[in-house]
Amino acid sequence: RRSGRTKYKVVTYQLPHNAICQVYDFKSRAQRLVFGPDLVMLGPDEEFTVLSLSGSEWVPGEANVVRPKQPDLIKALFLFLGPDSMSDVINVETLDHARLSLR
């Protein structure tokens, strides 16, 4: 009888430079953060935490058009750190009905 698992292989992932990844140990209910560049090696009771990020559809011809974001559009194992990694538009309306759009 043969199972689909190879007992001597380790699940690894090469984390790129300036990125962060979360690994969850479900036996001890602990989590750890790994900062790249690093080789992430999972233990026997660990798994990667999949990130669900909001995002918008990207159209190559309309790169400057801001579209509304949809929840859970992007699934990722890691997140790049730094100012260039994400953008958001926040619309604010004050009590005196002044509107402000922050980018």
Side-chain angles (χ1 to χ4, degrees):
R1 189 172 113 173
R2 183 172 178 169
S3 67
R5 180 182 139 199
T6 307
K7 293 184 179 182
Y8 58 87
K9 289 196 176 182
V10 176
V11 177
T12 61
Y13 183 74
Q14 181 63 46
L15 194 60
H17 176 71
N18 204 22
I20 188 169
C21 171
Q22 181 179 354
V23 178
Y24 179 71
D25 187 344
F26 54 87
K27 191 171 186 179
S28 67
R29 295 184 181 180
Q31 62 187 10
R32 64 182 170 106
L33 297 175
V34 182
F35 293 88
D38 198 3
L39 180 66
V40 182
M41 297 176 65
L42 294 183
D45 300 320
E46 289 182 329
E47 62 184 17
F48 289 106
T49 301
V50 178
L51 303 172
S52 296
L53 304 172
S54 62
S56 60
E57 297 290 333
W58 183 73
V59 180
E62 301 174 4
N64 295 331
V65 176
V66 178
R67 301 185 187 278
K69 290 192 175 184
Q70 302 167 1
D72 301 330
L73 188 70
I74 301 168
K75 305 284 187 202
L77 285 182
F78 64 90
L79 187 64
F80 281 115
L81 301 175
D84 297 339
S85 61
M86 60 186 94
S87 65
D88 250 337
V89 177
I90 301 171
N91 296 318
V92 178
E93 185 172 348
T94 62
L95 290 175
D96 57 350
H97 302 289
R99 293 184 182 173
L100 179 64
S101 179
L102 303 172
R103 293 183 185 208

